[in-house]
Amino acid sequence: MACGILILGNNQMGEYSLTDKVLKMYGKTHYVSELAPSMEGKVVTLTGWVHRKREHGGVIFIIVRDPSGVIQAAGHREKLSAAIFDEMQKVTLESSILVTGSIAVDKRAPSGIELKVTHFEVVNLADSEWPLDKDAGESFLFDKRHLYLRSPSQTSIMQIKAGISRAAHQFFDGEGFTEIFPPIMVGASVEGGATLFPFKYFGGTAYLSQSAQLYEEAAICGLEKVYLLSPSFRSEKHRTRRHLTEYWHLEAEILFGDHDDIMGVQERLVHAMVMYVTKYYQRQLDILAVKVRVPKLPFKRITYDSALEIAEQQGFKITWGEDLGTEAERAVSKQFKDPFFITGYPTEARSFYHMPDPDRQEVTLSSDLIAPKGYGELTSGGQRIHDLDLLLKRIKKEKLDPTAYNWYLELRKFGLPPHSGFGMGLERFLVWLLELKHIREACLFPRTPSRIHP
Ligand code: 4AD
Ligand code: MG
């Protein structure tokens, strides 16, 4: 490009390509994923890292890794200058390198091709001891997250995370939603004071946002259908495989929509996100050894009451009105192959804003979307209270300070119609989709009660 802007990287579909328009840093011509047996004899230049290395009979074999994959580069002593062969010999694992060579078909290579090296340069030589050997434990890997992130499995997870975000943006765009950009520093709780993170704010106290829902409810009066992808924070005391203290929250809110409408939005969204990953991220799914099942629409809906029955059959005793709890929810979820909704949660188990069912006041017009096979809650959503007096009663019952919600209450004085919404933790979605052992793997740099560093 004339202006000299470097545009390398992945295109719309999550794959990598170098186009003619690209200014080629270090003379890079291709990404690994662009190389194919049909290019036999072609000379290409790659940049990347030394993923593996071995020497055998006067040949140095280096597995070169870039964001798009790996390829074996073979440097023959008799075909290279002493200086270049020496450079290949001294290079250490995880050094960044530049390598030029011709493509050779080699059936033994995993990708069916190999690079016969003609030129090799070390860009930045790594220390000789790469700390992440095969025996590194999970906790150590996350102490070294800044290094662990470059492994093919972690790169694949981050690429798929970008993909589900893009799929969600495309989905909401296609359904006529407007993206909004809510504040992260807030004055009141949405999901209860117990999980708020407070901080000093010019002589007062402010909090990190748990959910942008209340702001969405204001925004829909002008915009009708809104969504956002923004960080949310929870001072969660329990350490589980599915709780973070900071996560990326995908939330949406619709005006004139009821509980049924918002369940429809959620199931179409989840379906679209899964489809997108199976369409554009097969290479990454193969690296992670994951077979994704595309869920069937519409998703099943069971009531809270029948979820309790299933949980009881599995040996759980839950008093009606209580939250299901992680373990019981997992047991119920194991009975399903696709995500399903649990509807009609008791009013006392839900936050103050949930609309009571007019036919049965003790339950709400709300639901959780539950991932199958034990993965558990993906979303929470439902219809909101739009009546001022009812909302005020609920706020007082929850012993919240109505003055902290004065603006939120005032929306009800000025023509706020019935409306519904939901929120989904992007990392929860990834844990289910990619069958991750722990939610921290779904984060660039996870934040949990025991981890703020790196
Ligand atoms: O169920 P939650 O607390 O619901 C709300 O925040 C609503 N105000 C959202 C809305 O209706 N706009 O959180 C929504 C979702 C959960 O279903 C879960 O996916 C995720 O956010 N989530 C967490 N993810 C990771 N770590 C945590 N500690 C999470 N807490 C909630
Ligand atoms: Mg919830």
Side-chain angles (χ1 to χ4, degrees):
M1 292 186 102
C3 59
I5 294 171
L6 186 68
I7 309 173
L8 298 172
N10 65 341
N11 63 15
Q12 273 290 323
M13 317 313 178
E15 273 312 331
Y16 288 79
S17 65
L18 274 172
T19 66
D20 291 343
K21 285 186 206 148
V22 168
L23 191 140
K24 299 174 186 77
M25 193 185 220
Y26 289 101
K28 179 185 178 108
T29 62
H30 291 80
Y31 281 98
V32 168
S33 61
E34 294 179 288
L35 309 179
S38 61
M39 293 159 72
E40 185 160 30
K42 190 174 168 70
V43 175
V44 298
T45 296
L46 311 175
T47 59
W49 283 263
V50 176
H51 189 57
R52 306 247 186 283
K53 183 185 162 188
R54 71 191 163 90
E55 190 171 352
H56 183 72
V59 189
I60 298 173
F61 297 96
I62 289 178
I63 305 289
V64 180
R65 186 189 72 239
D66 78 7
S68 74
V70 292
I71 187 170
Q72 178 164 286
H76 293 252
R77 186 193 290 278
E78 76 274 13
K79 291 192 185 139
L80 293 171
S81 70
I84 290 180
F85 193 76
D86 187 48
E87 188 91 340
M88 283 189 83
Q89 234 165 5
K90 80 168 194 219
V91 76
T92 44
L93 284 185
E94 296 301 326
S95 296
S96 51
I97 54 160
L98 168 81
V99 58
T100 302
S102 62
I103 292 172
V105 173
D106 184 343
K107 292 221 166 66
R108 290 164 302 174
S111 55
I113 50 173
E114 187 182 76
L115 204 64
K116 299 272 182 232
V117 177
T118 54
H119 181 71
F120 184 89
E121 261 177 69
V122 175
V123 178
N124 198 341
L125 189 68
D127 276 2
S128 57
E129 287 296 316
W130 173 247
L132 306 187
D133 61 22
K134 277 204 192 88
D135 305 323
E138 278 288 300
S139 174
F140 182 72
L141 289 174
F142 280 90
D143 291 343
K144 298 280 179 196
R145 184 57 167 167
H146 48 293
L147 302 178
Y148 181 38
L149 261 183
R150 62 173 83 174
S151 71
S153 65
Q154 302 307 300
T155 299
S156 297
I157 295 169
M158 293 307 128
Q159 287 164 336
I160 292 175
K161 192 169 186 178
I164 60 170
S165 160
R166 193 184 301 123
H169 284 290
Q170 285 185 7
F171 170 83
F172 283 118
D173 206 28
E175 294 223 351
F177 283 70
T178 301
E179 185 179 11
I180 58 166
F181 305 88
I184 306 295
M185 299 189 288
V186 302
S189 90
V190 182
E191 298 301 329
T195 61
L196 273 178
F197 273 117
F199 61 93
K200 283 187 207 139
Y201 195 76
F202 304 107
T205 303
Y207 309 95
L208 294 174
S209 172
Q210 299 168 308
S211 159
Q213 180 192 320
L214 309 191
Y215 299 106
E216 287 185 293
E217 290 183 58
I220 48 173
C221 291
L223 300 166
E224 201 161 284
K225 292 194 277 186
V226 302
Y227 81 99
L228 58 102
L229 179 56
S230 168
S232 277
F233 303 85
R234 305 287 168 106
S235 173
E236 300 275 5
K237 284 167 196 82
H238 40 295
R239 296 168 191 209
T240 72
R241 292 173 172 273
R242 55 183 210 161
H243 285 92
L244 295 163
T245 49
E246 175 179 331
Y247 67 96
W248 284 83
H249 206 167
L250 184 61
E251 297 185 271
E253 197 75 24
I254 54 175
L255 208 62
F256 298 113
D258 64 15
H259 180 211
D260 239 29
D261 294 320
I262 203 66
M263 284 194 286
V265 173
Q266 291 173 72
E267 62 191 1
R268 290 195 299 283
L269 167 71
V270 167
H271 187 263
M273 288 165 77
V274 176
M275 288 294 286
Y276 196 88
V277 172
T278 58
K279 192 167 175 193
Y280 297 119
Y281 290 88
Q282 197 51 55
R283 184 178 64 76
Q284 288 84 347
L285 293 174
D286 290 345
I287 289 172
L288 296 166
V290 177
K291 274 205 167 56
V292 166
R293 176 190 157 92
V294 177
K296 293 197 176 61
L297 288 172
F299 294 169
K300 287 197 175 113
R301 287 136 165 80
I302 64 165
T303 60
Y304 166 86
D305 295 0
S306 45
L308 279 200
E309 276 168 32
I310 298 173
E312 254 165 44
Q313 285 158 16
Q314 308 294 318
F316 291 90
K317 284 254 163 302
I318 301 153
T319 314
W320 194 95
E322 280 176 10
D323 216 352
L324 267 180
T326 307
E327 291 309 318
E329 188 184 273
R330 179 174 299 143
V332 175
S333 136
K334 280 189 176 157
Q335 311 304 310
F336 292 80
K337 282 195 180 128
D338 283 336
F340 61 99
F341 290 100
I342 299 181
T343 65
Y345 280 89
T347 312
E348 55 201 273
R350 290 305 234 196
S351 302
F352 64 94
Y353 53 75
H354 282 284
M355 177 73 112
D357 186 336
D359 298 329
R360 203 182 153 202
Q361 289 289 326
E362 68 277 19
V363 300
T364 51
L365 296 175
S366 75
S367 50
D368 279 3
L369 180 62
I370 310 291
K373 299 203 246 168
Y375 286 100
E377 182 185 332
L378 283 178
T379 77
S380 282
Q383 195 170 328
R384 325 304 192 182
I385 296 172
H386 60 279
D387 178 79
L388 177 63
D389 295 334
L390 182 55
L391 184 63
L392 203 50
K393 232 187 258 166
R394 290 286 294 125
I395 285 179
K396 285 179 182 158
K397 180 122 200 294
E398 297 289 315
K399 299 197 167 46
L400 296 165
D401 173 14
T403 58
Y405 298 92
N406 52 10
W407 66 268
Y408 182 67
L409 288 160
E410 196 173 40
L411 293 172
R412 275 79 189 159
K413 283 189 193 165
F414 293 99
L416 178 64
H419 60 287
S420 321
F422 73 94
M424 172 204 284
L426 214 57
E427 293 81 5
R428 291 272 181 98
F429 183 94
L430 271 183
V431 166
W432 160 61
L433 187 75
L434 304 180
E435 298 171 9
L436 303 179
K437 286 198 296 269
H438 194 289
I439 197 165
R440 65 185 161 211
E441 275 202 278
C443 307
L444 195 71
F445 287 91
R447 295 292 177 249
T448 62
S450 58
R451 197 173 284 287
I452 189 80
H453 186 84

